[in-house]
């Protein structure tokens, strides 16, 4: 009953080369998170639908993968309900669990369930796959990893400062030049307040964002088209044409928002964060950008986003401050701030720029060619010594044609192979071949290790 | 709409301490797999039901978690079928995908789909969760990790030898004393052949296994009860009372099985593996044990199992040789051999014996106490220097009561804290407090790093 196998659309296998690269990405991010005192947690792939539903909007509810109940999954559905064939109504009768859609809701659920054990502030990171029944397309998958770090239970802006340092350090380690953009929800609220158009923030920032492309007049025309009154557009001019250093920008904004309490709070927060970061020798530029308006329904303070400078691709990291993560689970008033690295896009950027360090993608370092049982018995002590010296070492298990064994070394990008026949045995040594240069050297066990060891 | 959150039964959250321990386990296993030239792959959590169904028996099919189709999931089911309410028939109409049940079937599927890219022999490891709708009970979960390594495309017994070395090295690194048991399916087939009872292997080995507990006479009585004829039981006596070294056991078995070709093949294979291992200085004992009969329908050659010597718990690692991994997906004749570490049980053993190295469970190494903005500005360069020296360092973000900050350090098991007030600022130093001894020392930035750095 052979059938040609396949995998569900939108999912991926990761082979050895991809895994080595992905491990390099995750290990780098993990090491920086840990350096700043974040601790890893993991939550189950499955959550109850009660935990998941209603957290991501109607569209999100549809995109949740639901797990069919075990056993008689129809037992909660009446005949009439079945014949009515309303999938939205029936799905929660046949399914009680779903696959997690992001790491934020499971984290909120985790904090509430474990509140008694947790010492606040709680600094956690979490690197796990999430699942969304989105229409698959280039760069969008139904299973992908998120890499989140959050601090909850502290309103200190030092947390924002440290998260910016983490972002800077991670990309410095990758060798990816980035621009870190920062904004503040309170500044945006202030702008809307000052011009009396509290519900038009999105339209305003979207229009402002086009300044470089379409010019000032067209931006103003678009604002008018969106129903912003002339005098409000007038007031917006300093904001639309905002330029200069971050400090100059903050001075300009402060003038416009001087009558808005929330707006001035946003200016003050941004100034604190940017001033503190001046003392930290960031490798990458950080820019105050008012057009940054991600997650407006969610974020309440600072908002962050990272763009790669040398590759055209969307945001590769983002985050911000939120004020009520756990309220939906009955634990109000817990403020937090977090970031999330986009592993799939970072993978693409590293590939495009060819930035993987050689050591991160080298698997086996040394292969012993198999010439038969006698020769194998001779080399086994060499193999043991190499592994003892922590050199990743293989023996080709079958004594097949040399050509096949060398093809194996090449396919696995193994940099060195060992050859040992009668002549080597006589001299108590082995021949070490450098696969890149082709150079062959007769070496003792000690010389072998010192040539390859770290 | 606050509701008290919970997680699906049989699933677990892993908090920071558990994660540190689990990472230690996985990292140790990974490092040894890599040292022997195995490469990591990952496959999607979801597989098509076509891939999964029929591979684990009827019971396994029931225990698969199925994913409800997105959108109108009833569209493939007729009214009559719905009203018939047969869950087994309906489930494949409303679900096309399921969660992986183990790592073996996805691996087989992977090998077949990627056969063109793979260089044989293919040595892969895979560490990912699997899901089973089993009734949850102590030590049995609906989501748990498997840690498999397999070599496919090579019939060389060197692979078996290396897998035994891997097992030995992993448990040596953990400091867990184990007994590695080895058997061979061909020996068992030989025994059944010689006594003319090919279909009674399981009953025979089950009875033999009780020798220590119930004595020879009762074992023979049980064999008779199972329908084994008297002369066959007579022939079995040397096998039942098998004792001595592995070599002595093999000699005895060889005498009994001298007329069975397959049995003698099993003896020869076992002798080769055990002889080769004699030269490798295993830290743990390896014992030939004919009562080892796991996976009889699956394994075709060597069978392995590992028991902890100092903790009463089931098998903590197992594996064996199989001959037709990929046949079910239309790629026959591919032999392989593999092992699987039982991470959850190893976790329990390490906990029971308290064997975690301190470094593996220490998160943050250094906490800077927050006395206010002026003091924070003073310590920031110290913080930066510590992190530059790779010391995992935190600043307490809020300037709250000292007692609360010290409680945080204690809860997170942070071994050192830094205190810096006016007196320290005046001297250009900080006070380093050893949280275990209580000792306080005034140190410069360099002294701080040399005290904590590696």
């Amino acid at each position: 009953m052979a059938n040609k196998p396949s995998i569900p659309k939108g999912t991926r296998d990761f082979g050895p080369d991809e895994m080595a690269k992905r491990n390099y990405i995750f290990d780098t991010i993990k090491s920086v998170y840990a350096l700043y005192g974040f601790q890893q947690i993991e939550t189950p792939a499955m959550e109850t639908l009660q935990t998941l539903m209603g957290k991501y909007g109607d569209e999100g509810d549809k995109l949740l993968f639901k797990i069919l109940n075990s056993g008689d999954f129809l037992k909660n559905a009446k005949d009439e309900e079945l014949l009515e064939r309303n999938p939205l109504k029936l799905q929660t009768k046949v399914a009680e669990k779903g696959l997690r859609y992001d790491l934020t809701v499971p984290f909120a659920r985790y904090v509430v369930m474990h509140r008694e054990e947790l010492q606040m502030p709680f600094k956690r990171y979490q690197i796990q796959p999430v699942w969304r029944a989105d229409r698959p397309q280039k760069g969008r998958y139904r299973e992908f990893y998120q890499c989140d770090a959050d601090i909850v239970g502290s309103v200190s802006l030092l947390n924002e400062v440290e998260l910016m340092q983490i972002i800077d350090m991670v990309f410095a380690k990758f060798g990816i030049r980035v621009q870190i953009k920062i904004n503040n929800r309170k500044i945006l609220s202030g702008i809307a307040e000052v011009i009396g158009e509290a519900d038009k923030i999105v339209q305003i920032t979207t229009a402002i964002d086009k300044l470089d492309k379409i010019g000032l007049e067209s931006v103003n025309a678009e604002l008018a088209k969106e129903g912003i009154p002339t005098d409000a557009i007038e007031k917006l001019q300093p904001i639309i044409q905002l330029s200069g250093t971050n400090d100059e920008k903050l001075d300009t904004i402060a003038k416009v928002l001087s009558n808005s309490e929330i707006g001035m709070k946003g200016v003050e927060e941004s100034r604190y964060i940017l001033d503190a970061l001046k003392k930290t020798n960031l490798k990458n530029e950080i820019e105050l950008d008012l057009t940054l308006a991600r997650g407006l329904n969610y974020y309440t303070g600072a908002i962050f986003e990272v763009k790669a400078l040398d590759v055209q691709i969307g945001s590769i990291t983002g985050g911000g401050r939120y004020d009520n993560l756990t309220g939906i689970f009955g634990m109000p008033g817990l403020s937090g701030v977090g970031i999330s690295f986009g592993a799939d896009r970072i993978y693409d950027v590293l590939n495009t720029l060819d930035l993987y360090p050689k050591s991160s993608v080298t698997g086996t370092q040394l292969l012993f060619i198999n010439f038969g049982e006698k020769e194998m018995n001779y080399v086994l002590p060499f193999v043991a010594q190499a592994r003892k010296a922590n050199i990743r070492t293989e023996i080709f298990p079958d004594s097949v044609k040399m050509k096949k064994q060398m093809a194996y070394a090449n396919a696995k990008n193994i940099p060195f192979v060992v050859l040992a026949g009668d002549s080597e045995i006589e001299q108590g040594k082995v021949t070490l071949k450098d696969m890149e240069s082709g150079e062959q050297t007769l070496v003792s066990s000690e010389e072998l290790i010192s040539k390859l060891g770290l």
Side-chain angles (χ1 to χ4, degrees), chain A:
Chain A
M1 66 142 259
N3 51 53
K4 201 166 166 245
S6 62
I7 53 176
K9 64 178 175 182
T11 69
R12 293 166 287 176
D13 284 327
F14 296 112
D17 293 344
E18 288 154 312
M19 278 307 295
K21 291 176 175 180
R22 290 171 64 85
N23 282 337
Y24 167 68
I25 293 172
F26 294 136
D27 290 346
T28 302
I29 294 171
K30 277 183 190 180
S31 71
V32 179
Y33 280 158
L35 190 63
Y36 278 78
F38 288 77
Q39 297 177 299
Q40 192 173 11
I41 70 161
E42 283 189 3
T43 61
M46 299 187 280
E47 295 276 352
T48 66
L49 284 181
Q50 205 167 18
T51 293
L52 297 174
M53 301 274 284
K55 309 302 188 297
Y56 308 104
D58 289 348
E59 190 57 19
D61 281 352
K62 274 189 209 156
L63 299 184
L64 289 170
F65 280 110
K66 285 132 200 135
I67 315 268
L68 198 62
N69 291 339
S70 301
D72 182 9
F73 58 86
L74 289 179
K75 69 169 179 238
N76 298 323
K78 295 185 192 122
D79 284 355
E80 311 87 86
E81 291 172 320
L82 289 175
L83 295 177
E84 198 190 335
R85 291 177 171 271
N86 180 337
L88 285 182
K89 265 174 70 179
L90 267 176
Q91 64 184 6
T92 50
K93 307 231 163 188
V94 302
E96 285 166 2
K97 298 180 287 293
L99 295 179
R100 73 176 156 252
Y101 182 87
D102 70 2
L103 301 179
T104 304
V105 167
F107 175 52
R109 195 264 311 140
Y110 177 90
V111 169
V112 174
M113 273 181 71
H114 299 270
R115 60 213 288 180
E116 302 299 334
E117 309 145 38
L118 296 181
Q119 190 75 26
M120 294 294 171
F122 181 49
K123 299 168 77 167
R124 88 85 172 77
Y125 76 88
Q126 190 168 356
I127 299 181
Q128 290 192 278
V130 301
W131 295 270
R132 298 180 184 181
D134 249 323
R135 191 176 299 277
Q137 57 185 58
K138 189 182 171 336
R140 194 202 279 164
Y141 303 101
R142 292 187 148 190
E143 174 181 66
F144 59 97
Y145 272 74
Q146 292 191 333
C147 312
D148 289 15
D150 291 81
I151 306 126
V152 294
S154 164
V155 295
S156 166
L157 294 171
L158 264 180
N159 297 308
E160 276 84 341
V161 172
E162 295 219 314
L163 289 174
M164 295 302 94
Q165 290 181 270
I166 287 174
I167 288 174
D168 184 68
M169 187 184 264
V170 164
F171 287 108
K173 279 183 182 251
F174 285 143
I176 299 177
R177 298 193 317 127
V178 296
Q179 187 174 49
I180 305 172
K181 296 186 172 211
I182 183 170
N183 193 9
N184 196 299
R185 177 64 162 90
K186 296 187 176 101
I187 291 179
L188 296 179
S189 297
I191 293 172
E193 191 178 289
V194 163
I195 65 169
E197 300 286 340
D199 55 341
K200 295 247 167 83
I201 299 180
V202 175
Q203 289 87 332
I204 294 170
T205 53
T206 306
I208 294 178
D209 195 27
K210 296 181 184 162
L211 183 67
D212 283 348
K213 283 189 211 124
I214 63 176
L216 181 61
E217 271 185 53
S218 304
V219 169
N220 286 336
E222 187 165 323
L223 287 169
K225 217 179 90 192
E226 292 289 352
I228 316 282
T230 316
D231 62 329
I233 297 179
E234 200 55 46
K235 276 193 200 147
L236 272 178
Q237 292 310 301
I239 303 274
I240 298 174
Q241 300 182 61
L242 199 63
S243 68
T245 64
N246 291 330
D247 283 329
E248 287 165 356
K249 286 181 182 175
L250 282 173
D251 290 342
T252 307
I253 301 165
K255 273 180 213 145
V256 177
L257 301 186
S258 59
N259 289 324
S260 162
E261 194 184 330
I262 191 163
M264 288 310 284
K265 187 87 175 55
V267 171
E268 190 194 307
E269 288 181 7
S270 303
R271 211 186 286 279
Y272 178 93
I273 296 167
L274 291 167
D275 279 350
L277 286 171
K278 279 182 198 156
K279 298 174 203 145
T280 61
N281 295 316
L282 292 193
K283 300 275 189 304
N284 294 287
E285 193 206 343
I286 182 158
E287 191 202 358
L288 181 71
D289 180 355
L290 291 195
T291 67
L292 181 60
R294 54 184 293 141
L296 278 190
N297 297 321
Y298 181 63
Y299 293 128
T300 53
I303 307 172
F304 325 116
E305 194 170 272
V306 180
K307 289 258 165 88
L309 289 177
D310 303 313
V311 178
Q312 282 286 348
I313 200 166
S315 156
I316 55 178
T317 290
R321 158 87 54 187
Y322 42 85
D323 267 348
N324 199 8
L325 176 72
T326 52
I328 200 130
F329 296 119
M331 184 182 175
L334 195 68
S335 184
V337 55
I339 54 173
S340 183
F341 286 95
D344 283 307
R345 285 191 175 163
I346 291 171
Y347 179 90
D348 288 343
V349 172
L350 288 170
N351 271 338
T352 305
L353 302 177
D354 195 15
L355 288 176
Y356 292 100
K358 208 169 177 183
S359 64
S360 74
V361 290
T362 302
T364 299
Q365 297 159 287
L366 185 60
L367 173 71
F368 282 77
I369 300 294
N370 190 332
F371 288 112
E373 197 166 338
K374 183 185 77 180
E375 291 82 356
M376 274 299 97
N377 281 332
Y378 171 69
V379 297
L380 282 180
F382 289 81
V383 174
Q385 284 303 317
R387 285 179 178 150
K388 211 170 169 183
N390 241 344
I391 297 165
R392 294 185 297 276
T393 303
E394 282 184 64
I395 311 169
F396 199 91
D398 307 275
S399 143
V400 295
K401 280 197 186 121
M402 172 92 168
K403 198 179 154 192
K404 198 176 168 206
Q405 300 189 45
M406 293 308 259
Y408 177 86
N410 281 321
K412 275 186 98 168
N413 278 316
I414 301 175
F416 291 94
V417 302
V418 164
L419 310 157
D422 287 340
S423 150
E424 282 84 0
I425 294 177
E426 216 165 85
Q427 299 172 76
K429 299 195 171 183
V430 295
T431 295
L432 178 68
K433 178 170 181 172
D434 181 326
M435 292 295 279
E436 200 169 332
S437 69
E439 193 192 351
Q440 301 200 168
T441 333
L442 194 69
V443 293
S444 67
S445 184
E446 293 72 34
E447 288 162 344
L448 177 70
I449 285 154
S450 72
K451 272 213 170 240
L452 272 112
L454 303 174

